[in-house]
Amino acid sequence: MIKSLHKMGIKSNHMYVAGICSIGLSFATWFASKNRESAGIDRADRWGIFIGQWAPTFFGMGVALRIEETHRGEEDLQDELRGESKHRSDRIRAGV
């Protein structure tokens, strides 16, 4: 799943921002529910907790995407180095 998200262009920073927004949205839904609904503080707490539980998931996915980005960067560097060494060995065999 993380590789698919990475291929779709989703970056770790996107997930970190989503986690921070989730925390803000958690507070906003708690506050709105507390002030606009007559169900009481218990319902407001449930809304806030429900939305707030998304934040750790977003932060965890951000860490996983950061690892994927780092891993992909290392693979690209290794591929680049392999290409350079292959190019050098071809030049050496050609006598250049």
Side-chain angles (χ1 to χ4, degrees):
M1 179 176 134
I2 297 300
K3 286 182 183 183
S4 298
L5 290 173
H6 182 69
K7 287 180 183 178
M8 290 176 8
I10 297 175
K11 305 286 183 199
S12 58
N13 289 340
H14 298 142
M15 288 295 153
Y16 296 144
V17 169
I20 291 168
C21 289
S22 174
I23 293 168
L25 186 61
S26 173
F27 176 75
T29 56
W30 173 82
F31 188 76
S33 179
K34 179 181 166 227
N35 291 331
R36 294 188 181 174
E37 292 182 338
S38 61
I41 193 80
D42 292 340
R43 185 170 178 157
D45 288 347
R46 284 187 214 111
W47 271 112
I49 290 169
F50 173 70
I51 305 285
Q53 288 178 343
W54 300 347
T57 302
F58 287 132
F59 289 130
M61 290 174 67
V63 170
L65 281 166
R66 178 68 60 158
I67 292 168
E68 182 70 19
E69 292 164 4
T70 304
H71 180 69
R72 291 289 170 216
E74 289 174 359
E75 281 184 359
D76 293 344
L77 181 61
Q78 288 174 357
D79 289 344
E80 186 179 311
L81 290 173
R82 278 190 219 118
E84 284 182 16
S85 64
K86 184 177 185 276
H87 182 67
R88 284 185 192 152
S89 64
D90 290 345
R91 288 189 350 211
I92 290 170
R93 276 187 250 150
V96 177

